[in-house]
Amino acid sequence: MKNRHLRKLIIFSLIFSINLDAQITKLKVEPEKTGVETKILYDSLSNINSENAFQHIGQTIYLKENKLAKERGGYLSLLYCNPIFEEYNNKPYKAIQPKDGSKYEVCDYEALKGKSFYVNRIILNNKSEYSWDKKKFLLELIETESKDKVYLLTKEYINHFDDFITLGYFEKLKKLYVGKEYYYLNNRLPGSEEGDLNDIVKGSDRKDIPKGTKWKCVDVSLEDGQYNEIIVILENPQFGKSFIYLYKLLTGHMKLETLEEHNDRIAYNNKLMKKYGQQNSKLIIEGKVRIGFTKQMCIESWGEPEEINKTSGSYGAHEQWVYGNGNYLYFENGILKTIQN
């Protein structure tokens, strides 16, 4: 888990968004009629990855800063030349020896960071006699201002794109989130460190934010930290500004609730109240369980388990439900008998 607590957060969303718009509007590079043509339209709801790289011909991608790459002196997956066709580019992106002593040369970090590149073509490694090597391919990238070329080396089913953001994807995120109102849900399981909003100044988890508070998204930006993660910036009249890491929203570690989802949840809570009574429904809504709960009540509270281990005999039917973060529930004949966390 990445350490978010020691990094200073600098929000430069206004400047960054202006730069992105400028880079898009000024882009005049025409694609070459070589390489693999785009067969499927790019879906702006997804960032560049190994699966949709072939659909990115004609798209512009932004290279984030990266603490590890900075310490190394360069990006490992970026090349200053085309090793398949032996084409060399001796402009600013010359190869240098990594500072960490690695034997492979890298492209100069300072010459590449924060630049935008036009994905010009895909170059397949069909010349290799080794089947494993044929799975490698290159993305020929053209820097949008200097028009210099650099090559991104990757391989099928392996993602080397974590340092890049597709500009169309970034702009789509802004349209999806900015200006909309959300309810904050702290949906942590017991013992989990995930789920709290992050303070906009200190960058640490804010545990003073009550569940169910209403927030408005004011921007989508980049965190100025170790990995430059995309963040969603929220504002509340009482608590000021906070942020959530986008990847936590997309993976379900945290949740923002829309007005429609909020109303549906209230209706669901009322249904629980009628079905299980006030005391039990309150525990379920708070994400808690207690001895005597049925399996369905536990599912209502904690969700489906990651794994179920069953045993049966003359003493009855027993089940162990396995959840993350060392949480286990033990049932006997369908009734919760033991809680372990």
Side-chain angles (χ1 to χ4, degrees):
M1 181 64 64
K2 303 169 187 173
N3 188 345
R4 311 286 182 184
H5 304 282
L6 300 179
R7 301 199 301 268
K8 183 180 179 182
L9 182 70
I10 303 174
I11 303 302
F12 57 97
S13 57
L14 178 59
I15 298 175
F16 185 70
S17 61
I18 292 174
N19 287 338
L20 291 183
D21 292 340
Q23 289 169 346
I24 292 174
T25 55
K26 290 183 178 180
L27 182 62
K28 295 181 180 179
V29 180
E30 294 296 331
E32 297 180 10
K33 300 300 181 179
T34 57
V36 178
E37 299 296 333
T38 304
K39 295 182 179 180
I40 305 175
L41 293 178
Y42 163 66
D43 180 3
S44 60
L45 289 176
S46 60
N47 196 31
I48 187 170
N49 55 56
S50 58
E51 295 181 356
N52 65 20
F54 282 68
Q55 302 166 25
H56 267 71
I57 297 175
Q59 296 297 319
T60 302
I61 57 179
Y62 173 83
L63 182 58
K64 300 186 295 182
E65 297 183 38
N66 182 298
K67 181 180 179 182
L68 298 180
K70 182 177 181 180
E71 293 175 350
R72 185 186 300 116
Y75 297 89
L76 284 177
S77 58
L78 284 169
L79 307 173
Y80 75 108
C81 67
N82 176 351
I84 296 177
F85 293 153
E86 297 182 352
E87 296 174 358
Y88 288 82
N89 173 23
N90 294 317
K91 296 210 173 168
Y93 313 136
K94 62 181 180 180
I96 62 173
Q97 192 65 33
K99 298 177 182 179
D100 60 4
S102 303
K103 63 179 181 178
Y104 298 106
E105 293 181 331
V106 295
C107 274
D108 188 1
Y109 174 81
E110 295 298 330
L112 289 167
K113 68 173 185 178
K115 291 184 179 293
S116 294
F117 298 88
Y118 179 85
V119 182
N120 191 51
R121 59 173 176 156
I122 305 291
I123 304 174
L124 301 177
N125 191 15
N126 294 325
K127 293 185 178 182
S128 175
E129 59 181 304
Y130 303 105
S131 59
W132 61 269
D133 203 38
K134 288 182 179 180
K135 292 183 178 180
K136 293 181 180 178
F137 62 89
L138 297 176
L139 266 69
E140 184 178 78
L141 308 178
I142 299 179
E143 206 268 299
T144 56
E145 293 185 2
S146 68
K147 306 302 185 292
D148 291 329
K149 293 181 181 180
V150 68
Y151 299 89
L152 176 61
L153 176 65
T154 187
K155 184 183 290 188
E156 286 182 319
Y157 312 118
I158 299 179
N159 191 6
H160 290 287
F161 302 97
D162 290 341
D163 293 325
F164 288 93
I165 298 175
T166 306
L167 297 195
Y169 172 68
F170 190 86
E171 291 302 312
K172 188 70 172 182
L173 290 175
K174 284 179 173 288
K175 292 179 181 179
L176 287 175
Y177 288 100
V178 176
K180 294 184 173 64
E181 294 182 330
Y182 298 91
Y183 290 88
Y184 163 64
L185 295 182
N186 183 334
N187 58 341
R188 291 185 298 168
L189 288 175
S192 171
E193 296 181 356
E194 301 283 354
D196 288 314
L197 289 173
N198 293 274
D199 189 273
I200 204 72
V201 178
K202 299 178 182 178
S204 58
D205 289 347
R206 297 188 60 169
K207 296 181 172 62
D208 60 332
I209 305 298
K211 179 178 178 179
T213 52
K214 192 175 183 180
W215 296 76
K216 183 176 183 179
C217 178
V218 295
D219 204 358
V220 175
S221 186
L222 285 182
E223 171 208 24
D224 183 18
Q226 184 171 358
Y227 295 99
N228 287 83
E229 295 285 356
I230 299 176
I231 55 177
V232 176
I233 303 173
L234 307 170
E235 189 170 27
N236 174 278
Q238 180 180 356
F239 299 101
K241 288 185 178 180
S242 293
F243 73 92
I244 296 177
Y245 290 102
L246 178 67
Y247 78 88
K248 290 188 177 182
L249 290 178
L250 299 180
T251 56
H253 286 93
M254 296 187 65
K255 183 173 175 59
L256 293 180
E257 192 176 58
T258 64
L259 179 61
E260 182 180 2
E261 292 170 336
H262 178 76
N263 292 335
D264 289 343
R265 183 172 61 86
I266 297 301
Y268 174 71
N269 291 346
N270 292 333
K271 180 180 178 181
L272 289 178
M273 188 82 67
K274 294 179 180 179
K275 188 173 182 180
Y276 300 120
Q278 182 175 358
Q279 188 174 6
N280 287 334
S281 62
K282 184 176 183 297
L283 291 174
I284 292 173
I285 293 170
E286 293 174 351
K288 299 177 182 179
V289 296
R290 72 173 181 179
I291 304 301
F293 266 23
T294 64
K295 290 191 288 186
Q296 183 58 39
M297 293 168 74
C298 293
I299 291 175
E300 301 271 20
S301 179
W302 280 19
E304 296 285 349
E306 296 178 1
E307 183 180 352
I308 297 178
N309 300 312
K310 299 181 179 181
T311 58
S312 59
S314 57
Y315 48 84
H318 293 253
E319 292 185 11
Q320 178 200 53
W321 286 17
V322 181
Y323 289 87
N325 303 304
N327 294 286
Y328 301 88
L329 300 180
Y330 297 86
F331 296 87
E332 182 177 330
N333 296 324
I335 302 299
L336 183 61
K337 295 295 184 179
T338 305
I339 304 169
Q340 179 182 343
N341 52 36

